[in-house]
Amino acid sequence: MDPSADTWDLSSPLISLWINRFYIYLGFAVSISLWICVQIVIKTQGKNLQEKSVPKAAQDLMTNGYVSLQEKDIFVSGVKIFYGSQTGTAKGFATVLAEAVTSLDLPVAIINLKEYDPDDHLIEEVTSKNVCVFLVATYTDGLPTESAEWFCKWLEEASIDFRFGKTYLKGMRYAVFGLGNSAYASHFNKVGKNVDKWLWMLGAHRVMSRGEGDCDVVKSKHGSIEADFRAWKTKFISQLQALQKGERKKSCGSHCKKGKCESHQHGSEEREEGSHEQDELHHRDTEEEEPFESSSEEEFGGEDRQSLNSIVDVEDLGKIMDHVKKEKREKEQQEEKSGLFRNMGRNEDSERRAMITPALREALTKQGYQLIGSHSGVKLCRWTKSMLRGRGGCYKHTFYGIESHRCMETTPSLACANKCVFCWRHHTNPVGTEWRWKMDQPEMILKEAIENHQNMIKQFKGVPGVKAERFEEGMTVKHCALSLVGEPIMYPEINRFLKLLHQCKISSFLVTNAQFPAEIRNLEPVTQLYVSVDASTKDSLKKIDRPLFKDFWQRFLDSLKALAVKQQRTVYRLTLVKAWNVDELQAYAQLVSLGNPDFIEVKGVTYCGESSASSLTMAHVPWHEEVVQFVRELVDLIPDYEIACEHEHSNCLLIAHRKFKIGGEWWTWIDYNRFQELIQEYEDSGGSKTFSAKDYMARTPHWALFGASERGFDPKDTRHQRKNKSKAISGC
């Protein structure tokens, strides 16, 4: 065997590897490259999975592998509180809310909408990470207050302007609290609802349900508008704390189904931000109307919301909406049935809600009221105190001979159907268009009214300046002015109450706001019946009295017509408000011909201090000379009337029908003893023996007449003027 052949056989594989070494190198290179690519892919997938498992809020805080302590609070950078207020209530709430937000170590700004330009600045809230709070009040006819008028106008126009679109405010977070009065049912909290709707239409995100404060203490969910705000504020602060932590907290709307809370199923933190925003936009497209009628986004049931938040065929959309509306109708019918059942139960048990709530009782007690039962009150008039000291009586003393120190001012109904701008009780009393409260008996009301009045008189015993004889007389009530507050004629047992007064030999002076014509027609005889004629045109009456009735003008006219057929003394009471109702002379003259009253009292409005319920200021109070000029011009338009009396101290004049001027002398005073005799004869005859105003008139003393040097002040008394006050302009 050849040894060289064996050597070749052993070396041939090595030679082959050497010859093909480049292919081997290439294979190794490709393998290493593939291994590196595989490792990169694995690491990339692992990083993506890690990012998905970490909430986006936490990712935003991650910077190069460590958490930045300086940026841990970027979920909420601050709170901006916008307010639109007419009387200061919303502004006060803004201050209270700001204090609560400050306690969370968040910067806060309070902004008057009157000084805010949404066209320039509202878009900034999209990226500011602020939470914007809007506290807006609803004013007359459901319109915004003057300070919020431009903001609301801009927001409304932007919401329907295609150039802005549905994503204009996408990213902005907001909450709304509205201030209103449910007595005006047709536009209760309308401004708050609109602001909420318009912001939503522009793509802003509502962080919590809209709050609705109610000035009507009877219907308020928490007893007062202040309590309504406190309840909403507590929820808002809780929601704000959740937002600070990066949580997407959503309150449960009590629509949980199958044992699962929809609040946790939907909108949870596990959803990506982009996915949530896409669903929200789709939600806006598929339910264009529903959110506007709700105070939150929680009106829909869980199944319906799930259907709307997912992809829906156009063909199926109608079925889904029909199902939603059907469920809503069934819910309303169920609530109506349950409400009817509750009302039946209340009627059977004779248990209705008391007019005076704890909050209302506290407010009225602070104002000096002595409250009686569940809906009545009595208070000592300042003229009663004045006459006890011999410092003069009220204008009724000058015009009609009332002994002011023996007059009890009371009401069997604290509720009223108007919210007049010059209400001297600052609208702390409830409002309503019908009696819907628990009712006390007239015997109890009168008994406690007299007792409370006497107790207040007793407090003046031994007070310096109080005349002993008048103190003793004051302990016996001789007159009752049913004009304290509210609408006495609303009380269902007003006729029984009047009869009880007359049985006690107490004269009756009843005032009504001309919104209950049927009750005026059915009213038993009173010593003197007043109707407040605060304006002479429909527009001015609506502006000044702010009535609750939609047909307020027709009711007003019908009340004047009902007054015309009354046989006893009737009076129009005109309250002049400068720049509001002093230029309507011809219209006033027409109203006089409609009701043909015996007397017309014309009085300048009394300014009783700043009120959160009225924009009235001292600028609206006419001077006494201006009232005299108005009366002179009015008398020229009503030929059957003349100026009879004047009470300068009260800024008031009396126009009387000429039938009370006998033999050149005025007989505007009342013979109270004769009235008691006539009313007794009327009652004994079962109402068949009637009498008229001229049957119990008395001659007016010279000092009370218009033009007398005393200007209506009784010379028996001593006029007392406060220091540094040379002229009385308001009659307060």
Side-chain angles (χ1 to χ4, degrees):
M1 181 178 292
D2 189 358
S4 62
D6 294 335
T7 303
W8 173 253
D9 291 338
L10 291 173
S11 61
S12 59
L14 297 175
I15 296 172
S16 178
L17 289 173
W18 176 254
I19 294 173
N20 297 295
R21 64 184 182 276
F22 295 107
Y23 295 104
I24 294 173
Y25 295 157
L26 181 63
F28 274 115
V30 171
S31 299
I32 292 172
S33 299
L34 289 174
W35 182 83
I36 292 174
C37 291
V38 169
Q39 293 300 317
I40 292 174
V41 170
I42 292 173
K43 289 183 177 181
T44 302
Q45 290 179 345
K47 185 177 181 181
N48 290 338
L49 290 173
Q50 184 178 7
E51 289 178 352
K52 288 184 178 180
S53 64
V54 178
K56 188 177 186 304
Q59 293 179 32
D60 292 341
L61 292 176
M62 299 294 294
T63 307
N64 296 329
Y66 66 92
V67 178
S68 174
L69 296 177
Q70 295 179 347
E71 299 180 356
K72 65 179 181 179
D73 291 328
I74 64 170
F75 302 114
V76 178
S77 60
V79 176
K80 289 186 177 180
I81 304 174
F82 301 85
Y83 70 88
S85 179
Q86 187 73 22
T87 60
T89 303
K91 182 179 179 180
F93 287 172
T95 303
V96 172
L97 183 60
E99 293 175 355
V101 173
T102 303
S103 66
L104 301 180
D105 294 328
L106 281 174
V108 60
I110 300 177
I111 302 171
N112 186 349
L113 287 173
K114 187 176 183 178
E115 303 168 354
Y116 183 76
D117 189 348
D119 203 17
D120 293 337
H121 302 295
L122 195 59
I123 189 64
E124 299 171 0
E125 306 307 329
V126 170
T127 57
S128 67
K129 297 188 185 298
N130 288 323
V131 175
C132 299
V133 181
F134 295 88
L135 308 178
V136 287
T138 300
Y139 201 49
T140 307
D141 292 337
L143 298 176
T145 60
E146 183 179 348
S147 60
E149 187 175 0
W150 164 244
F151 177 81
C152 290
K153 180 178 176 61
W154 182 91
L155 199 61
E156 180 182 16
E157 292 177 352
S159 68
I160 58 177
D161 192 334
F162 70 93
R163 292 172 295 183
F164 287 89
K166 296 183 178 181
T167 59
Y168 179 71
L169 295 179
K170 178 183 174 182
M172 173 182 171
R173 295 176 291 180
Y174 75 95
V176 176
F177 181 84
L179 295 81
N181 193 316
S182 59
Y184 300 90
S186 60
H187 47 73
F188 172 56
N189 259 315
K190 186 175 181 180
V191 175
K193 294 174 182 177
N194 284 340
V195 169
D196 188 20
K197 175 181 70 174
W198 295 329
L199 289 170
W200 185 88
M201 290 174 66
L202 288 169
H205 174 66
R206 184 192 298 116
V207 298
M208 68 173 293
S209 302
R210 180 181 68 249
E212 294 185 349
D214 193 350
C215 288
D216 189 344
V217 295
V218 176
K219 292 185 178 180
S220 170
K221 291 182 179 179
H222 302 90
S224 68
I225 191 170
E226 291 79 11
D228 292 338
F229 175 72
R230 286 194 297 269
W232 181 85
K233 182 192 70 174
T234 301
K235 294 180 181 179
F236 174 76
I237 295 299
S238 175
Q239 182 75 355
L240 193 60
Q241 289 174 321
L243 292 173
Q244 274 188 288
K245 299 175 183 178
E247 299 176 5
R248 297 179 61 92
K249 182 179 177 182
K250 185 172 182 179
S251 58
C252 178
S254 300
H255 296 297
C256 302
K257 296 190 176 184
K258 298 180 181 179
K260 297 180 180 180
C261 181
E262 297 297 330
S263 302
H264 299 294
Q265 286 183 339
H266 303 284
S268 64
E269 295 121 13
E270 295 180 0
R271 298 182 62 184
E272 294 185 33
E273 184 71 19
S275 174
H276 175 78
E277 291 174 352
Q278 290 175 1
D279 287 350
E280 189 175 71
L281 287 176
H282 182 71
H283 185 63
R284 295 176 192 276
D285 293 334
T286 55
E287 43 120 355
E288 198 68 35
E289 296 293 336
E290 291 294 332
F292 303 166
E293 302 301 325
S294 169
S295 62
S296 69
E297 295 167 333
E298 300 155 5
E299 289 284 331
F300 295 102
E303 296 175 359
D304 302 324
R305 190 188 297 116
Q306 186 175 5
S307 299
L308 290 174
N309 282 342
S310 59
I311 298 176
V312 182
D313 286 339
V314 176
E315 296 177 356
D316 297 331
L317 183 59
K319 296 179 181 179
I320 294 175
M321 297 309 296
D322 288 342
H323 178 69
V324 171
K325 292 178 180 178
K326 181 180 179 181
E327 186 179 84
K328 192 173 182 180
R329 283 196 302 269
E330 291 176 351
K331 182 180 178 182
E332 290 175 351
Q333 291 174 357
Q334 185 176 359
E335 290 178 350
E336 184 177 349
K337 289 179 180 178
S338 61
L340 180 61
F341 177 77
R342 286 194 299 269
N343 289 335
M344 290 175 62
R346 288 176 182 173
N347 290 335
E348 290 175 358
D349 297 336
S350 298
E351 292 184 2
R352 305 177 77 176
R353 189 174 184 180
M355 181 186 295
I356 304 176
T357 63
L360 179 59
R361 182 176 296 275
E362 180 181 359
L364 292 176
T365 301
K366 287 181 179 179
Q367 296 180 31
Y369 285 84
Q370 297 295 318
L371 300 179
I372 304 166
S374 63
H375 55 75
S376 307
V378 63
K379 189 178 182 182
L380 206 61
C381 175
R382 83 171 190 90
W383 287 109
T384 300
K385 305 172 188 177
S386 176
M387 202 160 191
L388 284 171
R389 295 179 176 182
R391 294 181 176 180
C394 69
Y395 72 89
K396 292 187 182 71
H397 172 63
T398 300
F399 296 170
Y400 316 118
I402 273 185
E403 298 173 86
S404 301
H405 62 297
R406 303 184 67 182
C407 180
M408 176 178 68
E409 192 173 25
T410 186
T411 181
S413 170
L414 291 164
C416 188
N418 290 345
K419 292 183 72 66
C420 305
V421 295
F422 50 75
C423 178
W424 59 317
R425 301 306 181 192
H426 292 177
H427 300 170
T428 46
N429 56 303
V431 291
T433 57
E434 62 181 2
W435 190 271
R436 49 188 168 82
W437 300 278
K438 179 181 178 181
M439 189 182 72
D440 300 325
Q441 294 303 308
E443 292 82 2
M444 182 273 288
I445 297 174
L446 180 58
K447 178 177 179 292
E448 293 196 16
I450 294 175
E451 289 176 354
N452 280 292
H453 177 80
Q454 290 172 336
N455 289 334
M456 288 185 285
I457 293 291
K458 288 178 182 178
Q459 296 175 8
F460 285 84
K461 186 174 183 179
V463 173
V466 172
K467 294 187 175 183
E469 67 277 8
R470 291 194 177 178
F471 176 81
E472 293 299 326
E473 291 174 348
M475 292 301 294
T476 303
V477 178
K478 187 176 180 180
H479 316 286
C480 179
L482 294 166
S483 60
L484 177 62
V485 70
E487 181 64 82
I489 208 169
M490 282 182 68
Y491 177 49
E493 295 293 342
I494 185 62
N495 281 326
R496 280 180 58 197
F497 186 80
L498 291 170
K499 288 182 179 180
L500 290 171
L501 282 174
H502 299 154
Q503 289 173 9
C504 295
K505 305 302 178 184
I506 300 174
S507 63
S508 53
F509 290 77
L510 189 148
V511 180
T512 176
N513 288 317
Q515 289 296 295
F516 296 91
E519 284 75 6
I520 293 177
R521 285 191 290 268
N522 297 329
L523 194 67
E524 292 289 327
V526 295
T527 309
Q528 190 156 282
L529 177 61
Y530 288 80
V531 168
S532 294
V533 182
D534 301 324
S536 59
T537 66
K538 182 177 181 180
D539 291 339
S540 58
L541 186 69
K542 186 176 184 179
K543 180 180 179 181
I544 294 175
D545 279 4
R546 295 187 289 181
L548 272 61
F549 285 108
K550 293 182 179 179
D551 58 340
F552 67 92
W553 182 246
Q554 188 58 50
R555 285 177 167 272
F556 178 74
L557 297 178
D558 290 344
S559 295
L560 300 186
K561 294 176 183 177
L563 197 74
V565 300
K566 290 294 179 181
Q567 298 185 51
Q568 290 73 44
R569 296 167 64 107
T570 57
V571 183
Y572 275 10
R573 188 167 69 170
L574 277 61
T575 301
L576 298 186
V577 185
K578 190 187 293 186
W580 283 13
N581 65 354
V582 296
D583 300 321
E584 305 170 349
L585 285 165
Q586 191 61 50
Y588 275 118
Q590 294 175 357
L591 292 181
V592 170
S593 63
L594 190 65
N596 195 29
D598 295 322
F599 305 97
I600 305 170
E601 294 177 1
V602 183
K603 187 177 186 298
V605 65
T606 297
Y607 179 67
C608 296
E610 183 179 353
S611 166
S612 61
S614 173
S615 57
L616 194 71
T617 67
M618 279 298 297
H620 295 104
V621 180
W623 294 91
H624 185 63
E625 288 79 1
E626 292 175 317
V627 176
V628 173
Q629 181 61 31
F630 176 89
V631 171
R632 290 183 185 276
E633 294 177 4
L634 178 59
V635 168
D636 290 339
L637 299 175
I638 46 178
D640 293 332
Y641 294 84
E642 293 182 19
I643 306 177
C645 302
E646 175 186 26
H647 191 253
E648 183 190 31
H649 201 165
S650 294
N651 199 11
C652 186
L653 282 87
L654 179 68
I655 302 173
H657 197 282
R658 286 179 176 172
K659 66 183 179 181
F660 292 96
K661 193 172 187 179
I662 302 173
E665 293 184 327
W666 282 110
W667 289 63
T668 65
W669 275 35
I670 298 172
D671 185 339
Y672 294 100
N673 293 330
R674 180 57 181 157
F675 171 79
Q676 296 298 342
E677 294 173 359
L678 293 170
I679 196 67
Q680 187 62 52
E681 293 174 1
Y682 174 84
E683 294 294 341
D684 293 342
S685 66
S688 61
K689 191 173 183 179
T690 60
F691 58 99
S692 67
K694 294 182 69 175
D695 292 333
Y696 57 100
M697 63 182 181
R699 188 174 63 84
T700 310
H702 180 268
W703 59 264
L705 299 177
F706 177 69
S709 59
E710 292 85 356
R711 307 297 295 272
F713 189 85
D714 192 339
K716 294 179 182 178
D717 293 327
T718 303
R719 186 163 186 175
H720 177 78
Q721 288 186 326
R722 286 172 286 179
K723 294 181 179 180
N724 301 325
K725 181 169 180 171
S726 59
K727 200 169 199 177
I729 62 171
S730 69
C732 280

